[in-house]
Amino acid sequence: VEFVNWEGGGGSFFEVTASTGNRLNSGEAQWLPLGSTATAQTFTTIKNFGVLTNATGCCPFSELVRGPDGTLYGTAPGSEVRGTVFKVNSDGTGFTVLKWFTNSLDGAYPSGGLTLSGNALYGTTSAGGSSDRGTVFKVNTDGSGYTVLKHFARDSSDGATPLSGLTLSGCALYGTTSEGGSFGFGTVFKFDLSIQLMIQLLDGAVV
């Protein structure tokens, strides 16, 4: 897995891509600035995962979110502690784990990316929670204030096992689940932050 920064005259964006071959199986973070021509490209690894995976996490494969100060935030679902939320500067310095998923009630295996709003990060875990079917969570950018906003339940009409991240619009978070719902094929949901309420928008059906 690679964290890649593509940068050009119009700005930059970061992405995560799969890696194969002789690269570290547990992932590595990359920085790739792009100039106005192809000959100006450079490629720099800014973070390698694979050492002390119980402390840092490993195998990140979701997108990164960038804060206004340039800090990058992401998730690493694989590790001996069942995943982490982390931050790292765009030059590779300042890598910090904000959350270790050591308590199954907090959730486990955060495979989706994060959504940033002010000083708060929102995300999902694909497992863990009160029924081991995943959670929606919030954590501050300094690692404080971790809160589970939603526990997904087995055979729930709300859905279960969210694998992707969330989209924030106004006071609501939108996301998907890969399982559960009326037909067992997942849902599209809305979580209203103002009233802490989950609303199902679309229920997967057999066609």
Side-chain angles (χ1 to χ4, degrees):
V1 176
E2 300 170 352
F3 296 154
V4 180
N5 172 29
W6 299 83
E7 189 171 280
S12 63
F13 67 90
F14 292 79
E15 64 178 8
V16 178
T17 60
S19 65
T20 57
N22 295 324
R23 297 190 183 277
L24 289 174
N25 290 332
S26 52
E28 54 184 30
Q30 309 284 354
W31 180 40
L32 180 61
L34 287 185
S36 58
T37 63
T39 58
Q41 297 180 5
T42 60
F43 188 88
T44 306
T45 297
I46 67 169
K47 169 64 183 175
N48 285 291
F49 290 87
V51 180
L52 299 177
T53 56
N54 62 323
T56 64
C58 68
C59 309
F61 54 82
S62 64
E63 68 279 7
L64 301 169
V65 62
R66 188 177 189 179
D69 62 351
T71 302
L72 304 171
Y73 300 91
T75 60
S79 76
E80 296 176 17
V81 294
R82 305 207 299 175
T84 61
V85 175
F86 64 84
K87 68 177 181 179
V88 63
N89 296 325
S90 60
D91 62 359
T93 62
F95 181 88
T96 304
V97 174
L98 302 176
K99 170 64 180 177
W100 290 270
F101 288 93
T102 56
N103 181 347
S104 62
L105 286 178
D106 285 346
Y109 308 118
S111 58
L114 299 166
T115 295
L116 176 64
S117 177
N119 293 322
L121 295 162
Y122 298 92
T124 63
T125 66
S126 60
S130 59
S131 297
D132 199 27
R133 285 298 182 269
T135 66
V136 175
F137 68 82
K138 171 187 175 182
V139 63
N140 295 326
T141 53
D142 63 358
S144 65
Y146 183 86
T147 305
V148 175
L149 302 176
K150 168 68 179 179
H151 293 269
F152 290 97
R154 188 188 305 270
D155 301 323
S156 170
S157 61
D158 287 342
T161 317
L163 297 176
S164 61
L166 301 165
T167 297
L168 178 67
S169 179
C171 292
L173 295 168
Y174 297 85
T176 61
T177 65
S178 64
E179 298 177 349
S182 301
F183 302 97
F185 291 94
T187 63
V188 177
F189 66 82
K190 171 184 177 181
F191 187 88
D192 192 322
L193 293 169
S194 63
I195 57 176
Q196 302 288 288
L197 179 66
M198 182 83 147
I199 303 168
Q200 184 193 103
L201 299 179
L202 180 65
D203 200 350
V206 178
V207 178

